[in-house]
Amino acid sequence: MELFDPITPSGAQAVMEWTRLHHESVTGRDGYSDFYKKDLTIDVLGPVGDVVSEWIIKGAFIKDASFGDMNWDDDTTVMNISLTIGMDYCVLNF
């Protein structure tokens, strides 16, 4: 999943807060799945911006996160966050 990383509010900070629920880097302890597993809703948009389908991802957790190269030399480059999401199961509403 690709996320746009705006300057404010920081998308990278939100992803890191969710990642820290998985594993505490200072103490080395792993978190409980009740804290780090979230339910996500993904709306698939049609060509004119209308919602054509809705997915509910149950028990989603971050498997991998990449924050790009953090190079701001080129003003036209958009900063993105790449996430690999694991899940318990998915539900297609419509």
Side-chain angles (χ1 to χ4, degrees):
M1 176 182 299
E2 287 281 326
L3 303 175
F4 170 70
D5 187 12
I7 293 173
T8 178
S10 174
Q13 183 176 3
V15 169
M16 281 307 298
E17 287 173 2
W18 187 13
T19 303
R20 286 188 184 112
L21 295 174
H22 292 63
H23 181 79
E24 293 180 19
S25 57
V26 175
T27 63
R29 292 184 299 176
D30 288 331
Y32 294 107
S33 63
D34 287 348
F35 298 127
Y36 68 80
K37 285 190 174 182
K38 308 287 183 189
D39 292 344
L40 303 178
T41 302
I42 297 177
D43 292 330
V44 179
L45 303 178
V48 294
D50 56 329
V51 178
V52 295
S53 66
E54 179 183 81
W55 288 89
I56 307 286
I57 301 175
K58 302 297 250 177
F61 57 95
I62 297 174
K63 293 176 85 172
D64 185 48
S66 172
F67 298 93
D69 59 1
M70 299 294 183
N71 184 3
W72 285 277
D73 289 340
D74 184 10
D75 290 337
T76 62
T77 304
V78 176
M79 298 303 298
N80 289 323
I81 302 169
S82 297
L83 293 179
T84 303
I85 301 287
M87 72 209 78
D88 291 338
Y89 64 95
C90 295
V91 177
L92 176 60
N93 276 345
F94 59 90

